[in-house]
Amino acid sequence: MTELAARRPATRPRRNLTQMVIADLRERIGSGGLQPGDKLPTEQALIRQLGVSRTVVREAIAGLRADGLVEPRQGIGVFVREAVRPSSGLSLLSEDAGKISSVIETLELRAAVEIEAAGLAAERRSPAQEAKIRERYEEIAAAIARGEAAEDADFAFHLAIAEATNNRHFGEFFEFLGRRTIPRSQLSDRGASPVRTPAYVRQLQGEHETIMAAICQGDAEAAREAMRIHLKGSLERYQRLRREAR
């Protein structure tokens, strides 16, 4: 049993467990215990080592993936990525992600890519990819039921759609943006902000359901429109928040 498993109280909330697993794996990567190119232990191995559930492990991997630390390779496993050193021209990665203006710019960029990704996913998804989109949707629902903001599960849902385009560059683009794809996670210091309330998160989940249904029905135009409404609605809410903050 690892130190993490030994110190884990039986009643610790899953969100805390997810963060503990993320911290454990980050420490292994940062200390050189896991080098770039190394394969992470399997889900079952991590479950045994850390004494947590499969869902916690998957949420932790999604969090590490959102931060660009690991990448999955289909049918092989999850691997530690090479450290990315962005050039000075990549202001998207170097500017203050916590600024509402940066959130708005990122949402505009996302809309340009993800609206089309939703349509392609509706046309090209495999049965396994469709099942993965549904599973990620259910993970968001479970997090909301626990009263959580569900940022990691939200990222995983959108990433599953990008992967269902069967054009690897959509997924690569989404991973490049990382946690910026879920802007409310960048504004966590705003406390009772309307972009982090339970009502707001439930509204987003309703939009997710509409996107998922259109993709699973193979309706490309409906999927594009549902994603457009989802992202444009978020964009308008953040624009309103910026106006109110002035």
Side-chain angles (χ1 to χ4, degrees), residues 185-230:
S185 68
Q186 305 300 328
L187 303 175
S188 59
D189 61 341
R190 294 181 178 268
S193 166
V195 298
R196 291 182 63 83
T197 64
Y200 176 78
V201 177
R202 287 194 297 271
Q203 178 181 342
L204 293 182
Q205 183 67 340
E207 295 169 3
H208 289 152
E209 183 175 12
T210 303
I211 296 166
M212 178 185 68
I215 291 174
C216 293
Q217 291 164 8
D219 191 332
E221 287 310 308
R224 290 187 180 97
E225 179 63 9
M227 185 65 80
R228 186 194 69 79
I229 291 171
H230 178 55

Side-chain angles (χ1 to χ4, degrees), residues 9 36 58 87 102 124 128 130 135 167 197 215:
R58 288 182 175 179
S87 70
S102 178
R124 300 176 179 176
E130 180 177 318
E135 181 180 352
N167 177 333
T197 64
I215 291 174

Side-chain angles (χ1 to χ4, degrees), residues 18-246:
T18 300
Q19 294 306 314
M20 288 174 64
V21 174
I22 288 174
D24 183 274
L25 292 174
R26 275 182 174 277
E27 194 279 331
R28 297 191 204 186
I29 294 170
S31 67
L34 286 169
Q35 303 265 348
D38 284 353
K39 181 180 176 181
L40 263 61
T42 65
E43 276 188 5
Q44 287 301 321
L46 288 172
I47 289 168
R48 289 194 302 270
Q49 291 172 16
L50 305 177
V52 296
S53 69
R54 174 176 296 177
T55 300
V56 167
V57 169
R58 288 182 175 179
E59 288 178 350
I61 296 299
L64 292 172
R65 188 176 183 183
D67 289 337
L69 294 177
V70 301
E71 62 178 345
R73 298 177 189 170
Q74 190 165 1
I76 304 176
V78 180
F79 292 79
V80 178
R81 297 183 66 176
E82 292 284 350
V84 177
R85 293 180 175 83
S87 70
S88 58
L90 293 177
S91 62
L92 181 64
L93 295 183
S94 60
E95 64 188 8
D96 183 1
K99 291 182 178 179
I100 296 179
S101 59
S102 178
V103 167
I104 290 171
E105 290 169 351
T106 303
L107 281 168
E108 290 174 343
L109 181 60
R110 282 184 61 193
V113 175
E114 287 195 73
I115 292 171
E116 181 60 19
L120 292 176
E123 294 172 343
R124 300 176 179 176
R125 80 228 179 271
S126 68
Q129 289 168 334
E130 180 177 318
K132 187 174 182 179
I133 291 170
R134 291 183 181 276
E135 181 180 352
R136 298 300 180 252
Y137 169 83
E138 293 299 335
E139 287 175 356
I140 299 174
I144 292 172
R146 296 192 301 272
E148 298 170 3
E151 287 100 340
D152 290 342
D154 197 331
F155 174 85
F157 174 78
H158 283 272
L159 181 59
I161 292 172
E163 291 174 338
T165 65
N166 287 299
N167 177 333
R168 63 186 175 85
H169 296 301
F170 279 94
E172 289 172 351
F173 173 80
F174 204 75
E175 290 185 320
F176 172 79
L177 290 181
R179 288 186 182 275
R180 291 171 181 270
T181 57
I182 311 301
R184 66 187 183 278
S185 68
Q186 305 300 328
L187 303 175
S188 59
D189 61 341
R190 294 181 178 268
S193 166
V195 298
R196 291 182 63 83
T197 64
Y200 176 78
V201 177
R202 287 194 297 271
Q203 178 181 342
L204 293 182
Q205 183 67 340
E207 295 169 3
H208 289 152
E209 183 175 12
T210 303
I211 296 166
M212 178 185 68
I215 291 174
C216 293
Q217 291 164 8
D219 191 332
E221 287 310 308
R224 290 187 180 97
E225 179 63 9
M227 185 65 80
R228 186 194 69 79
I229 291 171
H230 178 55
L231 294 177
K232 295 296 185 181
S234 292
L235 180 59
E236 290 170 2
R237 287 186 283 267
Y238 281 98
Q239 287 172 333
R240 184 167 58 250
L241 186 62
R242 179 172 63 177
R243 289 194 298 270
E244 292 170 352
R246 288 175 177 171

